[in-house]
Amino acid sequence: MTFDYDLFVIGAGSGGVRASRIASSFGAKVAVAEEYRVGGTCVIRGCVPKKLLVYASHFSEDFHLAEGFGWTVGETSFDWKKLIERKDAEIDRLNGLYINTLNGAGVEIINGRATVEDANTVRVGDKTYTAKKILVAVGGWPSMPDVPGIEHAISSNEALHLEEQPKRIVVVGGGYIAVEFAGIFAGMGSEVIQLYRGDQILRGFDDDLRERLAREMTGKGIDLRLGTNITEIEKTDDGVRLTLTDGSTLDADAVMYATGRVPKTEGLGLENAGVEMERGAVKVDAYSRTNVPSIFAVGDVTNRVQLTPVAIKEGHAFALTEFGGTEQAAEHDAIPSAVFSQPPIGTVGLSEAQAREKYGEIEVYTSDFKPMKHTLGGSDERAFTKMIVDKKTDVVVGAHMIGADAAEIIQGVGIAVKAGLTKAQFDATVAVHPSSAEEFVLMRNAKS
């Protein structure tokens, strides 16, 4: 049978773009369909615009620190609309770069929402296209709970496009998106209340980091209320009124939910081809293959690890395997990641609890210190590093940090953890002094 394309990709996000480009480089005829903008969640409505807002929110604290270094900072003001305009201009630029990248690679871009008709057919609008292989890379979408009045709430999508800065905002959730946006709005001068139904934020992260971030956020003026949720949202003349689980009410300009993301598979038509699903996600094997030989999936739609660099790795591995003649599975262990909270978190490998469960006997090394910048700046913010070692082999199985530059530092440490280096090899490495990063090679005494 003759097909229109060797590969048809549904979704031009990080995973889909990488898979398209690499497959095309091997001579495949490739098309990618996108219903919104090329770049996906990360570039358009996720990590990139969010990080730009994180940068903006830091200046209020930097102005304060500057005084300790002899700088006299005059009257300052913040213009939300100007920031959003600048952010949007940068996203437009990146969107154009992604389009140029695909065009330069010989990939055909089809604008519109694509759905699966059968194992080798895709529909976009009133046209159908056939392909030898179909790759689903549509990503995820914010999940909103079934709460009366939820239509009056916003998600992180809308938070990036608010016309006015909310002076009072309630952030619901305890994951990385929730803590990041709580820090963003607080740094810009908004009154922030964060509600989380659990007993501590950042479930799944190392407990020491969770507790320290909660303390730091509270110290920066965020009203963090654990074990608390919303039972009803009511629209008011100047915002929203929230009824909480204890019966009390809160008034705010806006309420933002960051309570998880789900694979965006609804209405995609995968059932037409008999693709097996698992709790709303596309079920795949280590090589991103579904149960249908011609259909594959990468990225958040598979709900393996919801991180942009992971989607890129999966897309690249798929293209190498299916078109490059090199069978390769994307690895999902020892993945470095960051939370751009304030202060930020960098982490790779196992938490202390996970390591104890897996290895039994472990050694834990920690360092608690005040970063050099804060000694003159007058900030009370502290930094903390933690290393977890399998006692039997001396291999470092986890490394974690909370503090300035944690995200930058953990990238290098992640290479060492991925390579399976031992604590002795860390100890043998000369420290870069003075820096916060040096703590990872200076921790000598395991905690009892």
Side-chain angles (χ1 to χ4, degrees), residues 243-265:
T243 302
L244 307 185
T245 44
D246 63 2
S248 64
T249 59
L250 274 178
D251 289 325
D253 298 321
V255 56
M256 174 190 150
Y257 273 81
T259 49
R261 295 175 64 84
V262 295
K264 199 178 178 184
T265 54

Side-chain angles (χ1 to χ4, degrees), residues 197-212:
R197 65 183 181 180
D199 59 359
Q200 190 54 277
I201 55 174
L202 291 183
R203 181 170 59 91
F205 284 75
D206 188 86
D207 288 338
D208 281 335
L209 270 62
R210 300 172 70 195
E211 293 165 8
R212 284 172 179 272

Side-chain angles (χ1 to χ4, degrees), residues 366-387:
T366 62
S367 176
D368 184 338
F369 59 99
K370 192 171 188 177
M372 192 175 181
K373 182 179 179 180
H374 295 330
T375 57
L376 290 189
S379 171
D380 293 327
E381 182 180 305
R382 298 186 66 80
F384 175 79
T385 57
K386 183 173 186 177
M387 184 177 290

Side-chain angles (χ1 to χ4, degrees), residues 111-226:
N111 297 310
R113 176 175 172 76
T115 56
V116 176
E117 296 271 288
D118 59 40
N120 296 100
T121 309
V122 173
R123 175 177 293 277
V124 182
D126 57 359
K127 289 187 177 181
T128 59
Y129 306 88
T130 59
K132 187 175 182 180
K133 300 178 192 292
I134 297 171
L135 177 67
V136 180
V138 296
W141 200 252
S143 174
M144 303 292 275
D146 186 16
V147 175
I150 192 64
E151 65 273 14
H152 304 306
I154 63 173
S155 71
S156 58
N157 288 353
E158 295 77 33
L160 293 167
H161 296 281
L162 291 172
E163 294 186 6
E164 301 287 343
Q165 177 189 354
K167 298 303 179 185
R168 306 165 300 164
I169 186 167
V170 174
V171 178
V172 185
Y176 72 95
I177 296 175
V179 300
E180 288 171 342
F181 273 93
I184 286 169
F185 285 114
M188 293 172 179
S190 298
E191 178 185 324
V192 179
I193 298 174
Q194 183 176 348
L195 309 177
Y196 180 49
R197 65 183 181 180
D199 59 359
Q200 190 54 277
I201 55 174
L202 291 183
R203 181 170 59 91
F205 284 75
D206 188 86
D207 288 338
D208 281 335
L209 270 62
R210 300 172 70 195
E211 293 165 8
R212 284 172 179 272
L213 180 59
R215 288 202 303 270
E216 293 287 355
M217 290 176 67
T218 301
K220 293 177 187 293
I222 295 171
D223 184 354
L224 178 59
R225 305 186 189 184
L226 302 173

